[in-house]
Amino acid sequence: MAGGAPRYDLPEPDAFTRPYWEAAAQGRLLLRRCADCGRAHHYPREFCPHCWSEHVTWEPASGHATLYTWSVVHRNDLPPFGERVPYVAAVVDLAEGPRMMTEIVRAGPAELRAGMAVEVAFRDGVPVFGPVFGPGENDVSGARDA
């Protein structure tokens, strides 16, 4: 990468995933939903992982989720993660059904509880999640709400 160290936190969209990443850059989270079985899935695929149908389309997600599990990362040598440690890597259950790997923002590890409500925010066009707070309390440096 000319002009600096490579970054390992930014996506490399291809023709298929470009709609997902363009929506994320605009502060919108998309999922894929199957027209045959009706189930949503994530990560984006060109077929339904539940019934193998190819009749899947993009749809907006609500951005609401619950925290399933998490781990605090204390060391990561890949740029720019080393500048962010410690950070919370997590898996959330999206309101639409799928599980999604993400990062938790706006809360420290001691504040986290399995099953707590979280909502999507975006940093550099990448979805991250944070606890649900009252109106106007979701501002975080480096992350913006959807």
Side-chain angles (χ1 to χ4, degrees):
M1 177 180 228
R7 288 187 59 175
Y8 295 91
D9 64 328
L10 299 178
E12 294 183 19
D14 58 24
F16 173 69
T17 62
R18 188 164 285 111
Y20 176 84
W21 294 114
E22 287 176 352
Q26 298 168 6
R28 297 180 300 116
L29 180 63
L30 296 181
L31 294 175
R32 300 283 283 172
R33 184 168 300 274
C34 178
D36 289 338
C37 73
R39 294 175 70 180
H41 63 271
H42 186 80
Y43 62 92
R45 286 165 268 199
E46 296 186 53
F47 62 90
C48 175
H50 307 290
C51 73
W52 300 97
S53 170
E54 293 181 1
H55 301 117
V56 292
T57 57
W58 294 105
E59 73 174 28
S62 67
H64 300 286
T66 56
L67 182 58
Y68 177 71
T69 191
W70 68 94
S71 180
V72 180
V73 178
H74 292 278
R75 181 180 172 117
N76 189 329
D77 296 329
L78 296 175
F81 297 107
E83 301 165 3
R84 297 181 188 165
V85 293
Y87 62 89
V88 178
V91 176
V92 297
D93 289 326
L94 299 173
E96 293 79 7
R99 283 200 170 135
M100 178 179 180
M101 290 193 67
T102 188
E103 179 183 350
I104 298 295
V105 297
R106 301 191 303 251
E111 301 170 74
L112 302 178
R113 301 287 178 268
M116 74 184 290
V118 292
E119 62 189 0
V120 73
F122 294 86
R123 179 178 45 232
D124 295 330
V126 175
V128 295
F129 281 76
V132 176
F133 294 117
E137 296 179 20
N138 290 335
D139 294 334
V140 118
S141 177
R144 66 180 171 86
D145 298 318

